[in-house]
Amino acid sequence: MRVHVVSDVHGNAEGLARAGEGADALVCLGDLILFLDYADHSRGIFPELFGVENADRIVELRTARRFTEARELARSLWDGVDRDSVVEQAVRKQYAELFAAFPTPTYATYGNVDVPHLWPEYARPGTTVLDGERVEIGGLVFGFVGGGLRSPMRTPYEIDDETYAAKLAALGEVDVLCSHIPPDVPELCYDTVARRFERGSAALLETIRATRPRYALFGHVHQPLARRMRVGATECVNVGHFAATDTPWVLEW
């Protein structure tokens, strides 16, 4: 059995269409939408609306952790714009292309920049969306928990710690634990390019220690200090920033 795993697709529909080649199934750990490309500030919803110069500035402020100033800049740019309508229109355009690229079968969960309420409109037969749910693939039980935790970035799908922990508890024991964000381990949460710690989940780390899945797979941190490490009996793996690598992580058994 061979499963390919991707995360942080961020608009890479062309790569996504090839991601399942040679695999029995594809697993996607979220962040389909590209709102702002931190490597190329000309790409994404934000620069399409407000230009590259404003994208440069907001990335500069966020990288410097000057989040209040970044929010003030964003607020001034959005003033007078029907934000919800404009963003939803742009997100729908990306989702139409990205969901069409999923191979069959695909098992997917949400990232922190995704918009879950739109997914049922675009998920085709052959794409199974799971969040706080489990599924058997090739004799192994995969559990999925989507989204991110509250952060200064205020991305679209951030939830409180208690809700996230409840979704984990609903999974029970699984062989492969799939999430968008990493467990709260410093080496797995630190982004060496952004030079900051992303939010990992303490509940996810506790679940790994308590239930001892074979693998814990995640993304979210694009350039992690450590891409994989063992926590007890569990191999914890950042499957990679698919938008940049164009390469899925491979799980075979």
Side-chain angles (χ1 to χ4, degrees), residues 37-100:
D37 189 334
Y38 277 61
D40 179 355
H41 303 168
S42 69
R43 298 180 64 244
I45 295 171
F46 188 92
E48 287 175 5
L49 292 172
F50 302 119
V52 177
E53 288 186 5
N54 283 315
D56 290 341
R57 181 58 178 157
I58 207 159
V59 169
E60 177 187 353
L61 291 171
R62 287 177 175 176
T63 302
R65 302 188 65 78
R66 293 158 61 183
F67 295 115
T68 300
E69 292 175 68
R71 284 194 291 271
E72 288 174 354
L73 172 59
R75 191 178 299 114
S76 69
L77 293 171
W78 285 108
D79 187 38
V81 178
D82 185 348
R83 178 170 181 163
D84 290 343
S85 176
V86 168
V87 170
E88 182 170 315
Q89 183 178 1
V91 168
R92 285 180 176 278
K93 180 180 177 182
Q94 289 191 20
Y95 275 164
E97 186 177 5
L98 290 158
F99 276 90

Side-chain angles (χ1 to χ4, degrees), residues 36-202:
L36 175 57
D37 189 334
Y38 277 61
D40 179 355
H41 303 168
S42 69
R43 298 180 64 244
I45 295 171
F46 188 92
E48 287 175 5
L49 292 172
F50 302 119
V52 177
E53 288 186 5
N54 283 315
D56 290 341
R57 181 58 178 157
I58 207 159
V59 169
E60 177 187 353
L61 291 171
R62 287 177 175 176
T63 302
R65 302 188 65 78
R66 293 158 61 183
F67 295 115
T68 300
E69 292 175 68
R71 284 194 291 271
E72 288 174 354
L73 172 59
R75 191 178 299 114
S76 69
L77 293 171
W78 285 108
D79 187 38
V81 178
D82 185 348
R83 178 170 181 163
D84 290 343
S85 176
V86 168
V87 170
E88 182 170 315
Q89 183 178 1
V91 168
R92 285 180 176 278
K93 180 180 177 182
Q94 289 191 20
Y95 275 164
E97 186 177 5
L98 290 158
F99 276 90
F102 276 138
T104 297
T106 291
Y107 302 90
T109 196
Y110 317 116
N112 61 294
V113 302
D114 285 311
V115 184
H117 78 268
L118 294 179
W119 280 37
E121 295 184 40
Y122 295 94
R124 301 180 173 192
T127 297
T128 303
V129 179
L130 303 117
D131 186 20
E133 299 164 285
R134 43 195 276 157
V135 66
E136 184 178 317
I137 306 174
L140 295 185
V141 177
F142 285 65
F144 291 79
V145 57
L149 298 175
R150 306 287 186 201
S151 78
M153 303 296 283
R154 298 185 180 179
T155 49
Y157 190 46
E158 294 181 352
I159 59 178
D160 60 67
D161 291 51
E162 293 76 17
T163 301
Y164 194 88
K167 291 196 293 185
L168 280 167
L171 297 178
E173 294 187 4
V174 299
D175 298 301
V176 184
L177 180 53
C178 299
S179 60
H180 177 67
I181 61 174
D184 189 16
V185 177
E187 295 89 341
L188 300 176
C189 293
Y190 187 73
D191 190 308
T192 60
V193 175
R195 293 178 296 175
R196 65 170 181 258
F197 288 97
E198 301 289 353
R199 278 213 68 188
S201 167

